[in-house]
Amino acid sequence: MTRTPFVAGNWKMHKTIAEAEAFVSGALPLVGAIDDVQIGVCVPFPSIQAVVDSTRGSSLQVYAQNVHWAEQGAYTGEVSVAMLDELEVAGVVVGHSERRQFFGETDADLRKKLPVILAAGLEPIFCVGETEEQREAGETERVLRHQVQEGLHDVADGDLAKVTIAYEPIWAIGTGKVATPEQAQEACAFVRALVAARDAEQGEQVRIQYGGSVKPENAAELLALPDVDGALVGGAALDPASFAAIVEAARA
Ligand SMILES: O=C[C@H](O)COP(=O)(O)O
């Protein structure tokens, strides 16, 4: 079974509209016509419209960085799937460890968010991963099992592979401390097995990204791992040339 690799750049809270447009101008000549890798950028809300407009017709897809599970309501500061859908984004990242850690996003929230995102026809990138303390205590599998099973609980078996799961060991995010290929492969294979336990075919099809200090220098080795189907890239995705080099590393 061949899974199309998926490289997504997560800009986090970086780039004004002008800076986002400058990124797109730099990136489109490099990746705008690549069709053997799915390519996305996860953009702060204020720049989404501009980036959707400037990437229309290209291979570069636009993702949001958060969404609420409710259709609408008194949720100050939040954004609904209908609002994202109207902007013509391809999907949205949910469960990023920074949102879990700093903004209190819980497994229970994710359980509500994932079905709502799928029902709107948007693609979720669902992040999971353990802290350094949890890894050192031998709890990596317990943590991943809980996050994956809870988050995907209300996704229909037949829809599981519509979710891209990003395995991001928290200790490797923004630290320059990349997981070893063995650690990345082992965790991604474990996540795939959890999906396969629900539905064997969906387990084969689901794409699992590795995230955490992915750079042009280490991307090829990580992306060649059998259960790693792409990358969720933070710092190295802020610059078009370095982002494009990682996309190139994902090509067969
Ligand atoms: O969403 C991306 C990840 O948090 C990885 O960030 P990083 O590549 O800066 O370590």
Side-chain angles (χ1 to χ4, degrees):
M1 144 106 236
T2 48
R3 296 179 289 264
T4 303
F6 180 13
V7 175
N10 178 12
W11 291 351
K12 309 191 178 183
M13 196 174 74
H14 292 282
K15 298 194 188 296
T16 61
I17 296 175
E19 289 164 349
E21 286 178 330
F23 175 95
V24 172
S25 304
L28 282 185
L30 304 174
V31 302
I34 289 177
D35 59 5
D36 50 358
V37 176
Q38 185 175 342
I39 310 165
V41 277
C42 311
V43 174
F45 290 130
S47 304
I48 286 179
Q49 186 71 69
V51 178
V52 166
D53 288 344
S54 56
T55 55
R56 196 168 271 119
S58 81
S59 303
L60 195 54
Q61 297 182 313
V62 183
Y63 288 73
Q65 296 180 12
N66 183 34
V67 72
H68 198 270
W69 43 264
E71 213 176 299
Q72 58 184 356
Y75 298 104
T76 301
E78 292 289 323
V79 162
S80 71
V81 286
M83 294 171 190
L84 292 186
D85 196 30
E86 194 174 34
L87 287 171
E88 299 176 61
V89 297
V92 55
V93 181
V94 289
H96 192 281
S97 61
E98 289 149 15
R99 294 222 52 91
R100 294 178 189 256
Q101 184 183 351
F102 303 129
F103 305 103
E105 186 164 31
T106 63
D107 292 320
D109 292 327
L110 292 159
R111 182 165 164 171
K112 289 188 269 192
K113 287 182 182 192
L114 285 164
V116 169
I117 295 165
L118 291 169
L122 299 176
E123 294 176 33
I125 301 174
F126 165 44
C127 305
V128 296
E130 81 288 357
T131 63
E132 189 153 37
E133 279 166 11
Q134 289 165 335
R135 175 163 283 269
E136 281 170 5
E139 291 179 352
T140 301
E141 292 196 350
R142 182 190 64 76
V143 169
L144 293 178
R145 183 182 301 110
H146 185 80
Q147 291 175 337
V148 170
Q149 289 181 345
E150 277 300 300
L152 296 178
H153 191 276
D154 293 336
V155 173
D157 287 354
D159 285 341
L160 289 168
K162 292 181 182 163
V163 179
T164 295
I165 304 176
Y167 166 65
E168 298 206 313
I170 295 168
W171 45 272
I173 296 177
T175 57
K177 231 190 209 184
V178 66
T180 64
E182 293 72 27
Q183 289 170 327
Q185 167 57 25
E186 191 180 27
C188 291
F190 181 72
V191 168
R192 183 178 310 289
L194 292 169
V195 177
R198 290 263 312 266
D199 183 299
E201 198 183 325
Q202 298 286 308
E204 267 300 298
Q205 289 171 3
V206 69
R207 285 175 309 170
I208 302 174
Q209 297 171 322
Y210 167 79
S213 297
V214 177
K215 309 273 178 247
E217 305 78 58
N218 59 27
E221 189 176 27
L222 290 160
L223 290 164
L225 296 167
D227 285 294
V228 174
D229 306 311
L232 183 59
V233 186
L238 294 173
D239 170 68
S242 123
F243 180 61
I246 295 169
V247 171
E248 281 298 333
R251 304 184 81 184

